[in-house]
PDB file of all heavy atoms in Angstrom:
ATOM      1  N   VAL S  30     -23.956 -10.083  -8.960  1.00  0.00           N
ATOM      2  CA  VAL S  30     -23.749 -11.527  -9.070  1.00  0.00           C
ATOM      3  C   VAL S  30     -23.520 -11.845 -10.537  1.00  0.00           C
ATOM      4  O   VAL S  30     -24.301 -11.432 -11.404  1.00  0.00           O
ATOM      5  CB  VAL S  30     -24.960 -12.319  -8.537  1.00  0.00           C
ATOM      6  CG1 VAL S  30     -24.773 -13.815  -8.787  1.00  0.00           C
ATOM      7  CG2 VAL S  30     -25.161 -12.057  -7.047  1.00  0.00           C
ATOM      8  N   VAL S  31     -22.437 -12.560 -10.813  1.00  0.00           N
ATOM      9  CA  VAL S  31     -22.108 -12.943 -12.177  1.00  0.00           C
ATOM     10  C   VAL S  31     -22.349 -14.446 -12.336  1.00  0.00           C
ATOM     11  O   VAL S  31     -21.784 -15.257 -11.592  1.00  0.00           O
ATOM     12  CB  VAL S  31     -20.642 -12.609 -12.521  1.00  0.00           C
ATOM     13  CG1 VAL S  31     -20.331 -13.023 -13.955  1.00  0.00           C
ATOM     14  CG2 VAL S  31     -20.377 -11.116 -12.330  1.00  0.00           C
ATOM     15  N   GLN S  32     -23.192 -14.810 -13.289  1.00  0.00           N
ATOM     16  CA  GLN S  32     -23.464 -16.212 -13.584  1.00  0.00           C
ATOM     17  C   GLN S  32     -22.732 -16.586 -14.870  1.00  0.00           C
ATOM     18  O   GLN S  32     -22.895 -15.944 -15.905  1.00  0.00           O
ATOM     19  CB  GLN S  32     -24.971 -16.429 -13.763  1.00  0.00           C
ATOM     20  CG  GLN S  32     -25.364 -17.856 -14.114  1.00  0.00           C
ATOM     21  CD  GLN S  32     -26.853 -17.989 -14.355  1.00  0.00           C
ATOM     22  OE1 GLN S  32     -27.607 -17.039 -14.167  1.00  0.00           O
ATOM     23  NE2 GLN S  32     -27.278 -19.174 -14.765  1.00  0.00           N
ATOM     24  N   GLY S  33     -21.894 -17.618 -14.788  1.00  0.00           N
ATOM     25  CA  GLY S  33     -21.138 -18.040 -15.960  1.00  0.00           C
ATOM     26  C   GLY S  33     -20.608 -19.438 -15.784  1.00  0.00           C
ATOM     27  O   GLY S  33     -20.923 -20.133 -14.801  1.00  0.00           O
ATOM     28  N   ASP S  34     -19.821 -19.876 -16.715  1.00  0.00           N
ATOM     29  CA  ASP S  34     -19.241 -21.215 -16.642  1.00  0.00           C
ATOM     30  C   ASP S  34     -18.165 -21.260 -15.563  1.00  0.00           C
ATOM     31  O   ASP S  34     -17.260 -20.418 -15.533  1.00  0.00           O
ATOM     32  CB  ASP S  34     -18.627 -21.602 -17.983  1.00  0.00           C
ATOM     33  CG  ASP S  34     -19.665 -21.721 -19.093  1.00  0.00           C
ATOM     34  OD1 ASP S  34     -20.796 -22.174 -18.780  1.00  0.00           O
ATOM     35  OD2 ASP S  34     -19.368 -21.357 -20.247  1.00  0.00           O
ATOM     36  N   ARG S  35     -18.255 -22.249 -14.682  1.00  0.00           N
ATOM     37  CA  ARG S  35     -17.292 -22.369 -13.592  1.00  0.00           C
ATOM     38  C   ARG S  35     -15.901 -22.664 -14.152  1.00  0.00           C
ATOM     39  O   ARG S  35     -15.736 -23.466 -15.070  1.00  0.00           O
ATOM     40  CB  ARG S  35     -17.721 -23.469 -12.630  1.00  0.00           C
ATOM     41  CG  ARG S  35     -16.801 -23.600 -11.408  1.00  0.00           C
ATOM     42  CD  ARG S  35     -17.294 -24.658 -10.440  1.00  0.00           C
ATOM     43  NE  ARG S  35     -18.531 -24.229  -9.786  1.00  0.00           N
ATOM     44  CZ  ARG S  35     -19.721 -24.778 -10.006  1.00  0.00           C
ATOM     45  NH1 ARG S  35     -19.842 -25.769 -10.881  1.00  0.00           N
ATOM     46  NH2 ARG S  35     -20.785 -24.344  -9.371  1.00  0.00           N
ATOM     47  N   LEU S  36     -14.897 -21.993 -13.591  1.00  0.00           N
ATOM     48  CA  LEU S  36     -13.516 -22.256 -13.957  1.00  0.00           C
ATOM     49  C   LEU S  36     -13.089 -23.550 -13.280  1.00  0.00           C
ATOM     50  O   LEU S  36     -13.156 -23.666 -12.050  1.00  0.00           O
ATOM     51  CB  LEU S  36     -12.629 -21.088 -13.510  1.00  0.00           C
ATOM     52  CG  LEU S  36     -11.195 -21.051 -14.032  1.00  0.00           C
ATOM     53  CD1 LEU S  36     -11.172 -20.849 -15.540  1.00  0.00           C
ATOM     54  CD2 LEU S  36     -10.418 -19.934 -13.347  1.00  0.00           C
ATOM     55  N   THR S  37     -12.654 -24.546 -14.069  1.00  0.00           N
ATOM     56  CA  THR S  37     -12.358 -25.857 -13.502  1.00  0.00           C
ATOM     57  C   THR S  37     -10.920 -26.305 -13.711  1.00  0.00           C
ATOM     58  O   THR S  37     -10.453 -27.207 -13.016  1.00  0.00           O
ATOM     59  CB  THR S  37     -13.298 -26.919 -14.107  1.00  0.00           C
ATOM     60  OG1 THR S  37     -13.141 -26.933 -15.534  1.00  0.00           O
ATOM     61  CG2 THR S  37     -14.755 -26.612 -13.758  1.00  0.00           C
ATOM     62  N   ASP S  38     -10.210 -25.718 -14.655  1.00  0.00           N
ATOM     63  CA  ASP S  38      -8.840 -26.137 -14.921  1.00  0.00           C
ATOM     64  C   ASP S  38      -7.955 -25.809 -13.713  1.00  0.00           C
ATOM     65  O   ASP S  38      -7.860 -24.650 -13.293  1.00  0.00           O
ATOM     66  CB  ASP S  38      -8.314 -25.445 -16.174  1.00  0.00           C
ATOM     67  CG  ASP S  38      -6.921 -25.920 -16.547  1.00  0.00           C
ATOM     68  OD1 ASP S  38      -5.946 -25.360 -15.999  1.00  0.00           O
ATOM     69  OD2 ASP S  38      -6.801 -26.832 -17.371  1.00  0.00           O
ATOM     70  N   ALA S  39      -7.297 -26.832 -13.162  1.00  0.00           N
ATOM     71  CA  ALA S  39      -6.505 -26.642 -11.939  1.00  0.00           C
ATOM     72  C   ALA S  39      -5.375 -25.651 -12.155  1.00  0.00           C
ATOM     73  O   ALA S  39      -5.052 -24.848 -11.260  1.00  0.00           O
ATOM     74  CB  ALA S  39      -5.950 -27.981 -11.463  1.00  0.00           C
ATOM     75  N   GLY S  40      -4.752 -25.676 -13.341  1.00  0.00           N
ATOM     76  CA  GLY S  40      -3.666 -24.747 -13.619  1.00  0.00           C
ATOM     77  C   GLY S  40      -4.134 -23.313 -13.665  1.00  0.00           C
ATOM     78  O   GLY S  40      -3.442 -22.400 -13.193  1.00  0.00           O
ATOM     79  N   GLU S  41      -5.318 -23.086 -14.241  1.00  0.00           N
ATOM     80  CA  GLU S  41      -5.869 -21.730 -14.299  1.00  0.00           C
ATOM     81  C   GLU S  41      -6.306 -21.266 -12.910  1.00  0.00           C
ATOM     82  O   GLU S  41      -6.069 -20.118 -12.531  1.00  0.00           O
ATOM     83  CB  GLU S  41      -7.041 -21.689 -15.282  1.00  0.00           C
ATOM     84  CG  GLU S  41      -6.624 -21.971 -16.724  1.00  0.00           C
ATOM     85  CD  GLU S  41      -7.813 -22.065 -17.665  1.00  0.00           C
ATOM     86  OE1 GLU S  41      -8.969 -22.092 -17.177  1.00  0.00           O
ATOM     87  OE2 GLU S  41      -7.584 -22.120 -18.896  1.00  0.00           O
ATOM     88  N   ILE S  42      -6.930 -22.166 -12.152  1.00  0.00           N
ATOM     89  CA  ILE S  42      -7.348 -21.798 -10.797  1.00  0.00           C
ATOM     90  C   ILE S  42      -6.131 -21.455  -9.936  1.00  0.00           C
ATOM     91  O   ILE S  42      -6.167 -20.541  -9.111  1.00  0.00           O
ATOM     92  CB  ILE S  42      -8.146 -22.961 -10.154  1.00  0.00           C
ATOM     93  CG1 ILE S  42      -9.480 -23.138 -10.901  1.00  0.00           C
ATOM     94  CG2 ILE S  42      -8.390 -22.706  -8.669  1.00  0.00           C
ATOM     95  CD1 ILE S  42     -10.284 -24.332 -10.431  1.00  0.00           C
ATOM     96  N   GLY S  43      -5.024 -22.161 -10.166  1.00  0.00           N
ATOM     97  CA  GLY S  43      -3.819 -21.908  -9.396  1.00  0.00           C
ATOM     98  C   GLY S  43      -3.228 -20.535  -9.623  1.00  0.00           C
ATOM     99  O   GLY S  43      -2.419 -20.066  -8.825  1.00  0.00           O
ATOM    100  N   GLN S  44      -3.609 -19.872 -10.723  1.00  0.00           N
ATOM    101  CA  GLN S  44      -3.102 -18.543 -11.012  1.00  0.00           C
ATOM    102  C   GLN S  44      -3.893 -17.443 -10.312  1.00  0.00           C
ATOM    103  O   GLN S  44      -3.476 -16.286 -10.291  1.00  0.00           O
ATOM    104  CB  GLN S  44      -3.123 -18.290 -12.521  1.00  0.00           C
ATOM    105  CG  GLN S  44      -2.244 -19.240 -13.316  1.00  0.00           C
ATOM    106  CD  GLN S  44      -2.383 -19.020 -14.812  1.00  0.00           C
ATOM    107  OE1 GLN S  44      -2.195 -17.904 -15.300  1.00  0.00           O
ATOM    108  NE2 GLN S  44      -2.710 -20.089 -15.538  1.00  0.00           N
ATOM    109  N   LEU S  45      -5.049 -17.786  -9.748  1.00  0.00           N
ATOM    110  CA  LEU S  45      -5.865 -16.798  -9.046  1.00  0.00           C
ATOM    111  C   LEU S  45      -5.234 -16.490  -7.698  1.00  0.00           C
ATOM    112  O   LEU S  45      -4.778 -17.397  -6.985  1.00  0.00           O
ATOM    113  CB  LEU S  45      -7.288 -17.315  -8.853  1.00  0.00           C
ATOM    114  CG  LEU S  45      -8.031 -17.709 -10.131  1.00  0.00           C
ATOM    115  CD1 LEU S  45      -9.433 -18.223  -9.794  1.00  0.00           C
ATOM    116  CD2 LEU S  45      -8.114 -16.528 -11.101  1.00  0.00           C
ATOM    117  N   GLU S  46      -5.218 -15.227  -7.327  1.00  0.00           N
ATOM    118  CA  GLU S  46      -4.569 -14.817  -6.091  1.00  0.00           C
ATOM    119  C   GLU S  46      -5.537 -14.861  -4.914  1.00  0.00           C
ATOM    120  O   GLU S  46      -6.624 -14.282  -4.969  1.00  0.00           O
ATOM    121  CB  GLU S  46      -3.987 -13.405  -6.250  1.00  0.00           C
ATOM    122  CG  GLU S  46      -2.873 -13.329  -7.285  1.00  0.00           C
ATOM    123  CD  GLU S  46      -2.207 -11.979  -7.304  1.00  0.00           C
ATOM    124  OE1 GLU S  46      -2.625 -11.098  -6.535  1.00  0.00           O
ATOM    125  OE2 GLU S  46      -1.251 -11.809  -8.095  1.00  0.00           O
ATOM    126  N   ASN S  47      -5.122 -15.554  -3.864  1.00  0.00           N
ATOM    127  CA  ASN S  47      -5.835 -15.560  -2.582  1.00  0.00           C
ATOM    128  C   ASN S  47      -7.269 -16.064  -2.709  1.00  0.00           C
ATOM    129  O   ASN S  47      -8.177 -15.557  -2.044  1.00  0.00           O
ATOM    130  CB  ASN S  47      -5.825 -14.159  -1.964  1.00  0.00           C
ATOM    131  CG  ASN S  47      -4.434 -13.605  -1.809  1.00  0.00           C
ATOM    132  OD1 ASN S  47      -3.524 -14.313  -1.407  1.00  0.00           O
ATOM    133  ND2 ASN S  47      -4.244 -12.335  -2.147  1.00  0.00           N
ATOM    134  N   LEU S  48      -7.515 -17.058  -3.567  1.00  0.00           N
ATOM    135  CA  LEU S  48      -8.846 -17.647  -3.687  1.00  0.00           C
ATOM    136  C   LEU S  48      -9.116 -18.498  -2.455  1.00  0.00           C
ATOM    137  O   LEU S  48      -8.384 -19.437  -2.146  1.00  0.00           O
ATOM    138  CB  LEU S  48      -8.940 -18.501  -4.955  1.00  0.00           C
ATOM    139  CG  LEU S  48     -10.327 -19.060  -5.288  1.00  0.00           C
ATOM    140  CD1 LEU S  48     -11.250 -17.930  -5.720  1.00  0.00           C
ATOM    141  CD2 LEU S  48     -10.231 -20.121  -6.380  1.00  0.00           C
ATOM    142  N   THR S  49     -10.170 -18.168  -1.731  1.00  0.00           N
ATOM    143  CA  THR S  49     -10.496 -18.893  -0.503  1.00  0.00           C
ATOM    144  C   THR S  49     -11.485 -20.017  -0.789  1.00  0.00           C
ATOM    145  O   THR S  49     -12.058 -20.117  -1.882  1.00  0.00           O
ATOM    146  CB  THR S  49     -11.099 -17.948   0.545  1.00  0.00           C
ATOM    147  OG1 THR S  49     -12.413 -17.531   0.108  1.00  0.00           O
ATOM    148  CG2 THR S  49     -10.216 -16.707   0.721  1.00  0.00           C
TER     149      THR S  49
END
Side-chain angles (χ1 to χ4, degrees):
V30 175
V31 180
Q32 178 183 355
D34 295 324
R35 183 177 291 111
L36 191 66
T37 58
D38 184 274
E41 295 174 350
I42 293 175
Q44 298 176 55
L45 303 179
E46 295 187 359
N47 305 318
L48 186 70
T49 69

